[in-house]
Amino acid sequence: MVIFHAQKFLFAALLLAAAGPATAASPHSLEARISYGSSVYKQVLRLTEGRQANHVGPLNGKQVIVNGLLVGGADGLTLQYQLELTDGPERDGRSIQLQSEAVLRPGVPLAALDCGPWSVTLTLDPVKAAPGKAGKAWDPAGLPNYRLTADVSAGGSRQVCKIVSKSGTQSNVVDGLRQGSRKFGFILNSLLTPAGGNGFRLQYQLEKNSSPAARAFQLQNEEKLTLGKRTSFSGEGYKLVFLLEGSVQAGGKAAEKKGYGTVQLIQ
């Protein structure tokens, strides 16, 4: 199986945004905190509004890539980003790759991803944060972000993946595993757009193959979701449950995007 290489995943959205009107440059720092079970990896990226920044290098025995573009707007500071954490080229091990876009509030951590054994927290201009409250329901905190949960049972195993993004944004996450010459993993590609009231249109692609013995699962479709309501689907050998969380006001007048790209996981 072949999983895309993140260094080829520099998304056009960054280049398009960077080509916009020039604004007064403001310096910021972004802390990307990637957790794998009990292991935690932190990387700080220096950002200037309106300019793309990137970092590639070793991090505690791993290889990390972080690309970001911070732009101001009516909603606040929007971060378009891509990150990857791997064991390095051609080495066995688990990896995470993530691309999305979300609005950040300086000093306030954003739990951007919780997928299988992985979690990613992004903090713009971090300060010493107060401990979070365990068990508290997700709260968009007045920002135009949404959290999509995909709960997938297929191929004899289950994967729950939660990703936070703005509506109108294509998000991609790959939880990959390399074993010798073979690669396995879980892919979720999604594009969320308002569909009136508290409804949203979700275009998505799912791929899941957890081991040589497991049956590969692939699904690409479009569904209508309602905020706060679980939507379930099932078919031969799989069950899929979506949950979308956020506020109706956060939808705003997000631009409609025609179609979305995919990240291939091919045997």
Side-chain angles (χ1 to χ4, degrees):
M1 306 183 75
V2 177
I3 297 179
F4 78 100
H5 194 282
Q7 287 177 305
K8 297 179 181 179
F9 195 37
L10 294 175
F11 40 97
L14 285 179
L15 301 179
L16 290 173
T23 58
S26 300
H28 296 274
S29 63
L30 174 72
E31 180 187 85
R33 184 180 187 273
I34 306 171
S35 300
Y36 177 74
S38 60
S39 300
V40 178
Y41 305 87
K42 293 183 182 180
Q43 181 63 53
V44 175
L45 183 67
R46 304 299 176 186
L47 292 169
T48 299
E49 287 183 46
R51 297 179 186 174
Q52 184 175 344
N54 63 81
H55 171 87
V56 179
L59 179 64
N60 298 341
K62 303 285 187 178
Q63 183 75 10
V64 64
I65 298 174
V66 183
N67 296 317
L69 176 66
L70 191 66
V71 292
D75 293 329
L77 293 168
T78 296
L79 176 71
Q80 302 171 26
Y81 69 93
Q82 169 218 1
L83 62 82
E84 174 185 298
L85 185 72
T86 71
D87 285 291
E90 307 305 319
R91 292 181 58 189
D92 286 3
R94 200 78 174 256
S95 64
I96 187 69
Q97 299 167 334
L98 172 63
Q99 173 190 323
S100 192
E101 178 178 336
V103 177
L104 301 182
R105 181 174 291 146
V108 180
L110 175 71
L113 179 74
D114 186 356
C115 192
W118 298 97
S119 65
V120 175
T121 301
L122 302 173
T123 308
L124 184 66
D125 302 329
V127 295
K128 188 174 182 180
K133 295 182 179 179
K136 182 180 178 181
W138 184 75
D139 184 353
L143 299 176
N145 296 323
Y146 293 88
R147 185 171 73 170
L148 176 68
T149 299
D151 186 341
V152 187
S153 297
S157 64
R158 179 187 179 196
Q159 179 110 3
V160 179
C161 201
K162 302 178 181 182
I163 185 167
V164 175
S165 68
K166 291 180 62 177
S167 66
T169 296
Q170 179 185 331
S171 297
N172 306 298
V173 58
V174 178
D175 173 10
L177 174 64
R178 175 189 288 273
Q179 293 180 350
S181 61
R182 305 198 67 181
K183 293 184 180 180
F184 310 93
F186 172 86
I187 289 177
L188 171 61
N189 297 329
S190 62
L191 174 60
L192 188 70
T193 50
N198 61 348
F200 284 79
R201 183 167 66 98
L202 174 68
Q203 299 176 59
Y204 68 93
Q205 175 201 23
L206 279 167
E207 298 191 25
K208 185 175 183 297
N209 193 356
S210 56
S211 71
R215 181 181 177 183
F217 168 74
Q218 299 182 14
L219 182 65
Q220 183 170 334
N221 213 333
E222 179 179 318
E223 301 293 346
K224 175 77 174 293
L225 302 183
T226 301
L227 283 174
K229 181 180 179 181
R230 296 182 187 276
T231 305
S232 301
F233 311 92
S234 60
E236 184 178 354
Y238 80 91
K239 181 179 180 180
L240 171 61
V241 180
F242 284 122
L243 173 64
L244 183 62
E245 298 167 278
S247 65
V248 176
Q249 293 78 9
K253 297 181 179 180
E256 181 80 5
K257 293 188 178 182
K258 303 297 183 181
Y260 61 102
T262 59
V263 180
Q264 298 298 327
L265 183 63
I266 303 172
Q267 189 167 10

